Structures are given as C-alpha cells and as structure tokens.
Coordinates of all heavy atoms in Angstrom, one line a residue:
A1 N -46.4 -18.7 48.0 CA -46.9 -20.1 47.9 C -47.5 -20.3 46.5 O -47.3 -21.4 46.0 CB -48.0 -20.2 49.0
A2 N -48.3 -19.4 45.9 CA -48.9 -19.6 44.7 C -47.9 -20.0 43.6 O -48.2 -20.9 42.8 CB -49.8 -18.3 44.2
P3 N -46.8 -19.4 43.4 CA -45.8 -19.7 42.4 C -45.3 -21.1 42.5 O -44.8 -21.7 41.6 CB -44.8 -18.6 42.5 CG -44.8 -18.0 43.8 CD -46.3 -18.2 44.2
H4 N -45.3 -21.7 43.8 CA -44.9 -23.1 44.0 C -45.9 -24.0 43.0 O -45.4 -24.9 42.4 CB -44.9 -23.5 45.3 CG -43.8 -23.1 46.2 ND1 -43.6 -21.8 46.7 CD2 -42.7 -23.8 46.6 CE1 -42.6 -21.7 47.4 NE2 -41.9 -22.9 47.3
V5 N -47.1 -23.6 43.1 CA -48.2 -24.4 42.4 C -48.0 -24.1 40.9 O -48.0 -25.1 40.1 CB -49.6 -24.1 42.9 CG1 -50.6 -24.8 42.1 CG2 -49.7 -24.3 44.3
T6 N -47.9 -22.9 40.5 CA -47.8 -22.6 39.0 C -46.6 -23.3 38.4 O -46.7 -23.9 37.2 CB -47.6 -21.1 38.9 OG1 -48.7 -20.4 39.6 CG2 -47.6 -20.6 37.4
A7 N -45.5 -23.3 39.1 CA -44.3 -23.9 38.5 C -44.4 -25.5 38.5 O -43.8 -26.0 37.6 CB -43.1 -23.4 39.2
T8 N -45.1 -26.0 39.4 CA -45.3 -27.4 39.5 C -46.0 -27.9 38.2 O -45.8 -28.9 37.7 CB -46.1 -27.8 40.7 OG1 -45.2 -27.6 41.9 CG2 -46.4 -29.3 40.7
V9 N -47.0 -27.0 37.7 CA -47.7 -27.4 36.5 C -46.6 -27.5 35.3 O -46.8 -28.4 34.5 CB -48.6 -26.2 36.1 CG1 -49.2 -26.4 34.7 CG2 -49.8 -26.2 37.2
A10 N -45.6 -26.7 35.4 CA -44.6 -26.7 34.2 C -43.9 -28.1 34.3 O -43.5 -28.8 33.3 CB -43.6 -25.6 34.4
L11 N -43.6 -28.6 35.6 CA -42.9 -29.9 35.6 C -43.8 -31.0 35.2 O -43.4 -31.9 34.4 CB -42.6 -30.2 37.2 CG -41.6 -29.2 37.9 CD1 -41.4 -29.7 39.3 CD2 -40.3 -29.0 37.1
L12 N -45.1 -31.0 35.5 CA -46.0 -32.0 35.1 C -46.2 -32.0 33.6 O -46.3 -33.0 33.0 CB -47.3 -31.8 35.8 CG -47.3 -32.0 37.3 CD1 -48.7 -31.8 37.9 CD2 -46.7 -33.3 37.8
Q13 N -46.3 -30.8 33.1 CA -46.6 -30.6 31.6 C -45.4 -31.0 30.8 O -45.6 -31.6 29.7 CB -47.0 -29.2 31.3 CG -48.4 -28.9 31.7 CD -49.4 -29.7 31.0 OE1 -49.6 -29.5 29.8 NE2 -50.1 -30.6 31.7
E14 N -44.2 -30.8 31.3 CA -43.0 -31.4 30.6 C -43.1 -32.9 30.5 O -42.8 -33.5 29.5 CB -41.7 -31.0 31.3 CG -40.4 -31.5 30.5 CD -39.2 -31.3 31.3 OE1 -39.1 -30.8 32.4 OE2 -38.1 -31.7 30.8
Y15 N -43.5 -33.5 31.6 CA -43.7 -35.0 31.6 C -44.8 -35.4 30.6 O -44.5 -36.4 29.9 CB -44.0 -35.5 33.0 CG -44.3 -36.9 33.1 CD1 -43.3 -37.9 33.0 CD2 -45.6 -37.4 33.2 CE1 -43.6 -39.3 33.0 CE2 -46.0 -38.7 33.2 CZ -44.9 -39.6 33.2 OH -45.2 -41.0 33.2
G16 N -45.9 -34.7 30.7 CA -47.0 -35.0 29.8 C -46.6 -34.9 28.4 O -46.9 -35.7 27.5
D17 N -45.9 -33.8 28.0 CA -45.4 -33.6 26.6 C -44.5 -34.7 26.2 O -44.4 -35.2 25.1 CB -44.9 -32.2 26.4 CG -45.9 -31.1 26.3 OD1 -47.1 -31.5 26.4 OD2 -45.6 -30.0 26.1
R18 N -43.7 -35.1 27.2 CA -42.7 -36.2 26.8 C -43.5 -37.5 26.5 O -43.1 -38.2 25.6 CB -41.8 -36.4 28.1 CG -40.8 -37.5 27.8 CD -39.9 -37.7 29.2 NE -39.3 -36.5 29.6 CZ -38.7 -36.4 30.8 NH1 -38.8 -37.5 31.7 NH2 -38.2 -35.3 31.2
Q19 N -44.5 -37.8 27.3 CA -45.2 -39.0 27.0 C -46.0 -38.9 25.7 O -46.1 -39.9 25.0 CB -46.4 -39.2 28.2 CG -45.8 -39.4 29.5 CD -45.0 -40.7 29.7 OE1 -43.8 -40.7 29.5 NE2 -45.7 -41.8 29.9
L20 N -46.4 -37.7 25.3 CA -47.1 -37.5 24.0 C -46.1 -37.7 22.9 O -46.5 -38.3 21.9 CB -47.8 -36.2 24.0 CG -49.0 -35.9 24.9 CD1 -49.4 -34.4 24.9 CD2 -50.2 -36.7 24.4
S21 N -44.9 -37.1 23.0 CA -44.0 -37.2 22.0 C -43.6 -38.6 21.7 O -43.2 -39.0 20.6 CB -42.8 -36.3 22.3 OG -42.1 -36.8 23.3
E22 N -43.6 -39.5 22.8 CA -43.2 -40.9 22.7 C -44.4 -41.7 22.3 O -44.3 -43.0 22.3 CB -42.5 -41.3 24.0 CG -41.2 -40.7 24.3 CD -40.7 -41.0 25.7 OE1 -41.5 -41.7 26.4 OE2 -39.6 -40.5 26.0
Q23 N -45.5 -41.1 22.2 CA -46.8 -41.8 21.8 C -47.1 -43.0 22.8 O -47.4 -44.1 22.4 CB -46.7 -42.3 20.3 CG -46.6 -41.2 19.4 CD -46.5 -41.7 17.9 OE1 -46.2 -42.8 17.6 NE2 -47.1 -40.9 17.0
Q24 N -46.9 -42.7 24.0 CA -47.2 -43.7 25.0 C -48.7 -44.0 25.1 O -49.6 -43.1 25.0 CB -46.7 -43.2 26.4 CG -45.2 -43.1 26.5 CD -44.5 -44.4 26.6 OE1 -45.1 -45.4 26.9 NE2 -43.2 -44.3 26.3
P25 N -49.1 -45.2 25.4 CA -50.5 -45.5 25.5 C -51.1 -44.8 26.7 O -50.4 -44.7 27.8 CB -50.5 -47.0 25.6 CG -49.2 -47.4 26.1 CD -48.2 -46.4 25.5
G26 N -52.4 -44.4 26.7 CA -53.0 -43.8 27.7 C -52.7 -42.3 27.9 O -53.0 -41.7 28.8
W27 N -52.2 -41.7 26.8 CA -51.9 -40.3 26.7 C -52.5 -39.7 25.5 O -52.3 -40.2 24.4 CB -50.3 -40.1 26.8 CG -49.9 -40.4 28.3 CD1 -49.5 -41.7 28.7 CD2 -49.8 -39.6 29.3 NE1 -49.2 -41.7 30.0 CE2 -49.3 -40.3 30.5 CE3 -50.0 -38.1 29.6 CZ2 -49.1 -39.7 31.8 CZ3 -49.8 -37.7 30.8 CH2 -49.4 -38.4 31.9
S28 N -53.2 -38.6 25.7 CA -53.7 -37.8 24.6 C -53.5 -36.3 24.9 O -53.0 -36.0 26.0 CB -55.2 -38.1 24.5 OG -56.0 -37.5 25.4
L29 N -54.0 -35.4 24.0 CA -53.8 -34.0 24.3 C -54.7 -33.6 25.4 O -54.5 -32.3 25.9 CB -54.2 -33.2 23.0 CG -53.3 -33.3 21.8 CD1 -53.8 -32.6 20.6 CD2 -51.9 -32.7 22.2
D30 N -55.6 -34.4 25.9 CA -56.3 -34.1 27.2 C -55.4 -33.8 28.3 O -55.7 -33.1 29.3 CB -57.2 -35.2 27.5 CG -58.4 -35.3 26.6 OD1 -58.7 -34.4 25.8 OD2 -59.0 -36.4 26.5
A31 N -54.1 -34.4 28.3 CA -53.1 -34.2 29.4 C -52.8 -32.7 29.5 O -52.3 -32.3 30.6 CB -51.9 -35.0 29.1
R32 N -53.0 -31.9 28.4 CA -52.7 -30.4 28.5 C -53.9 -29.6 29.1 O -53.7 -28.4 29.2 CB -52.4 -29.9 27.1 CG -51.0 -30.6 26.7 CD -50.7 -30.0 25.3 NE -49.4 -30.5 24.8 CZ -49.0 -30.4 23.5 NH1 -49.7 -29.7 22.7 NH2 -47.8 -30.8 23.2
R33 N -55.0 -30.3 29.3 CA -56.2 -29.5 29.8 C -55.9 -28.9 31.2 O -55.4 -29.6 32.1 CB -57.5 -30.4 29.8 CG -57.9 -30.9 28.5 CD -58.4 -29.7 27.6 NE -59.3 -28.8 28.3 CZ -59.8 -27.7 27.7 NH1 -59.5 -27.4 26.5 NH2 -60.6 -26.9 28.4
H34 N -56.3 -27.7 31.4 CA -56.2 -27.1 32.7 C -57.0 -27.8 33.8 O -56.7 -27.8 34.9 CB -56.5 -25.6 32.6 CG -57.9 -25.3 32.3 ND1 -58.5 -25.3 31.1 CD2 -58.9 -25.0 33.2 CE1 -59.7 -25.0 31.1 NE2 -60.1 -24.7 32.4
E35 N -58.2 -28.3 33.4 CA -59.0 -29.0 34.3 C -58.3 -30.3 34.9 O -58.4 -30.6 36.0 CB -60.3 -29.4 33.7 CG -61.2 -28.3 33.2 CD -61.0 -28.1 31.8 OE1 -59.9 -28.2 31.2 OE2 -62.1 -27.8 31.1
V36 N -57.6 -30.9 34.0 CA -56.8 -32.1 34.4 C -55.7 -31.7 35.3 O -55.5 -32.4 36.5 CB -56.2 -32.9 33.2 CG1 -55.2 -33.9 33.6 CG2 -57.3 -33.5 32.3
M37 N -55.0 -30.7 35.1 CA -54.0 -30.2 36.0 C -54.6 -29.9 37.4 O -54.1 -30.3 38.5 CB -53.3 -29.0 35.5 CG -52.2 -29.2 34.4 SD -50.8 -30.1 35.0 CE -51.2 -31.8 34.7
K38 N -55.7 -29.2 37.4 CA -56.3 -28.8 38.7 C -56.8 -30.1 39.4 O -56.5 -30.1 40.6 CB -57.6 -28.0 38.4 CG -58.3 -27.4 39.6 CD -59.4 -26.5 39.2 CE -60.3 -26.0 40.4 NZ -61.3 -25.1 40.0
A39 N -57.4 -31.0 38.8 CA -57.8 -32.3 39.5 C -56.6 -33.0 40.0 O -56.7 -33.6 41.1 CB -58.6 -33.1 38.5
V40 N -55.5 -33.1 39.2 CA -54.3 -33.9 39.6 C -53.7 -33.2 40.9 O -53.4 -33.9 41.9 CB -53.4 -33.9 38.5 CG1 -52.0 -34.3 39.0 CG2 -53.8 -35.0 37.4
L41 N -53.5 -31.9 40.8 CA -53.0 -31.2 42.0 C -53.8 -31.3 43.2 O -53.3 -31.5 44.4 CB -52.8 -29.7 41.6 CG -51.8 -29.4 40.5 CD1 -51.9 -28.0 40.0 CD2 -50.3 -29.7 41.0
L42 N -55.1 -31.2 43.1 CA -56.0 -31.3 44.3 C -56.0 -32.7 44.8 O -55.9 -32.9 46.0 CB -57.5 -31.0 43.9 CG -57.7 -29.5 43.5 CD1 -59.1 -29.3 43.0 CD2 -57.5 -28.6 44.8

C-alpha cells in the first residue's frame, strides 16, 4: 500500500516541476516541499 503513495508523489512532482518550468502563476519552489505533498495527499 505504501508504495502507491510514494509513487503518487512522483506524479504530482512531475506536474509541479512542469508548472515551474513554464513559470505558471501561483507556482513557486514551495510546490516541492514535503509538507505540501503531505497536506495535498491527506
């Protein structure tokens, strides 16, 4: 069960890095914070 969660972080972080590379508004390096991932998943 745990690796389903771990790998989901990779999917979300790919999306976040894509938003950062495109300099989308509302996105900063805070998107890479582990606390953000935890809050989003919960």
